[in-house]
Amino acid sequence: MDNKDKIRSAVAQFFKVPEAEVTEGFVFPAARLQGAVGRSALQAALKRIAGVDLAAAFTANTYGELVNAPGARPSSGAAVLAVGIDLENADNLPDAKDPWITSAEIAYCTRQADPRLSFCGLWCAKEAAMKCGPAFAGLSPKEIEITHDEDRRPGLCINNAAHQTGLSDWLVSISHAGRIAVAMCLLRPAASPAPAPGSAAPSSAQPDPTSRNG
């Protein structure tokens, strides 16, 4: 799905009309855009669903005006970075009856020195992912599974076939202090191009931002 299709989908969902009706001549229903609040809601929907921040959401009256506005298409070759962060007290976790965690996550957390704090870290990681970008929009916490490799570095696994895209580009970090857990989810920036033959390589590698605590 290209950027224009994502914007069309966002507009259709916001105005609750079939996507087929959202052509360049589609006029935005005025009742849904009353005042700055309505326009702000449209801008927020475009950010959440299409991943674009369009000032034209405050001025456009048709889909054509919106989709052809500056910023509707990302600049060619530009790196995109999305970040989500969440912090929580381990004593404020959701009720255990709420099915937000998978059996694999339960198995991991119960092996840790403080299982509740470990559960809290996973909850924060799921919340951070959902705040991070449109790739996670519409997913429930249980569909975003936090995994760990043999070195205890956290990662992401989406248990929803319709959202299996780009997971290798996402990084997760989890940390704890006292009864507080914090997690960050970010989109890995585009890799730098390989140096030309005969040019100097970078002098040092960047540290791995992922945490070894979960």
Side-chain angles (χ1 to χ4, degrees), residues 40-195:
S40 295
L42 174 59
Q43 185 185 45
L46 289 165
K47 286 182 182 179
R48 177 174 55 84
I49 301 170
V52 294
D53 187 1
L54 290 177
F58 288 90
T59 58
N61 292 309
T62 68
Y63 170 71
E65 292 175 2
L66 181 70
V67 79
N68 293 310
R73 295 175 177 81
S75 300
S76 176
V80 177
L81 180 66
V83 178
I85 189 168
D86 192 71
L87 180 147
E88 187 60 78
N89 189 305
D91 297 325
N92 296 332
L93 282 178
D95 192 298
K97 296 179 181 178
D98 185 11
W100 63 271
I101 196 162
T102 69
S103 57
E105 291 170 330
I106 292 172
Y108 175 83
C109 291
T110 53
R111 295 196 303 268
Q112 307 310 308
D114 188 336
R116 188 171 184 84
L117 189 59
S118 187
F119 279 125
C120 189
L122 267 58
W123 171 261
C124 289
K126 292 167 184 273
E127 287 287 300
M130 288 189 286
K131 295 174 181 177
C132 199
F136 302 98
L139 292 172
S140 68
K142 192 169 184 177
E143 289 177 313
I144 302 173
E145 184 171 354
I146 307 303
T147 62
H148 291 81
D149 65 14
E150 59 185 12
D151 293 319
R152 298 178 62 200
R153 284 189 292 254
L156 281 173
C157 175
I158 292 185
N159 297 318
N160 184 316
H163 287 74
Q164 298 293 337
T165 56
L167 291 186
S168 61
D169 292 328
W170 297 89
L171 299 174
V172 180
S173 181
I174 303 173
S175 191
H176 313 99
R179 301 299 295 162
I180 302 297
V182 62
M184 179 178 289
C185 177
L186 66 140
L187 174 63
R188 191 197 309 268
S192 301

